[in-house]
Amino acid sequence: MKAKVALVDFTQPAAAARLINDWVEAHTNNKIKDLIPASAIKPQATELILTNAVWFKADWKSPFKAEATSDGPFYAPDGEITVRLMNQTLKKARHLSRDGYAALDLDYMGDDYALTVILPEARDGLVGVTGAMTPESFTALLTDMDNAAERRVHTVLPKVKIEADYQLNDVMIGLGL
């Protein structure tokens, strides 16, 4: 982890945004650019900007092959859509079934990290699974996944890119900032 605390002149929004964005870009291998737009900095109102930038890039322990990726149906909450689907059969993968869903760990190289995929049993079961998931049950699932027996699993997943942007103004105000 690398953190930085700096005094910034918010009366110069473009320069302040450039300073923040340059730091974020340098610490995310140039993958996150322009995190803070200059227009978000209000010279008379901005006193503090707290940012966090996380960039994770790792290779799969068992990579999905490009030639095994094809268009296919994906069942989204609003109905069936066509997406790019990655396919492979894993010779050894931690997998378990629970009431209403199955879970699978996809390991990254180095065995330090894994993506835990949760699939509802029913096509329209996502709301039920997420509604029943609590911090305690999710923690128990992750612990059980660490200890799950490995088995052969055919895996079909949509090809995705995940990005998120969170506005924490209300949370920070609630904390007295």
Side-chain angles (χ1 to χ4, degrees):
M1 295 254 28
K2 296 178 183 175
K4 180 177 181 178
V5 176
L7 292 175
V8 177
D9 181 3
F10 293 124
T11 64
Q12 304 295 318
R18 190 170 40 257
L19 178 72
I20 294 165
N21 291 331
D22 287 351
W23 185 89
V24 169
E25 189 172 333
H27 288 84
T28 61
N29 201 25
N30 300 320
K31 297 296 180 187
I32 299 176
K33 300 177 182 186
D34 301 321
L35 182 68
I36 303 290
S39 61
I41 300 172
K42 308 296 182 209
Q44 302 303 319
T46 304
E47 294 184 29
L48 170 75
I49 294 181
L50 176 65
T51 63
N52 187 15
V54 177
W55 175 67
F56 177 79
K57 169 93 170 125
D59 292 326
W60 296 114
K61 187 174 184 176
S62 297
F64 290 87
K65 293 184 168 86
E67 60 271 15
T69 300
S70 60
D71 289 344
F74 181 79
Y75 303 98
D78 292 336
E80 182 179 319
I81 58 174
T82 299
V83 299
R84 299 290 292 162
L85 295 172
M86 305 180 301
N87 291 270
Q88 76 167 304
T89 299
L90 300 167
K91 293 177 183 169
K92 290 184 175 182
R94 292 177 307 283
H95 177 275
L96 59 81
S97 293
R98 293 273 165 92
D99 187 28
Y101 68 90
L104 169 70
D105 267 357
L106 297 174
D107 291 326
Y108 291 102
M109 280 293 219
D111 294 324
D112 290 330
Y113 299 100
L115 171 68
T116 301
V117 178
I118 300 172
L119 178 67
E121 286 177 1
R123 281 190 187 164
D124 61 352
L126 182 61
V127 172
V129 171
T130 58
M133 193 71 64
T134 64
E136 294 78 20
S137 65
F138 186 67
T139 300
L141 168 64
L142 295 179
T143 299
D144 291 348
M145 289 302 294
D146 286 341
N147 300 314
E150 292 183 331
R151 58 186 251 198
R152 184 179 176 95
V153 178
H154 182 70
T155 307
V156 180
L157 291 174
K159 189 171 181 174
V160 298
K161 179 178 180 179
I162 300 171
E163 293 185 49
D165 184 10
Y166 301 98
Q167 296 299 321
L168 300 174
N169 296 357
D170 294 339
V171 173
M172 301 304 280
I173 290 169
L175 293 172
L177 298 174

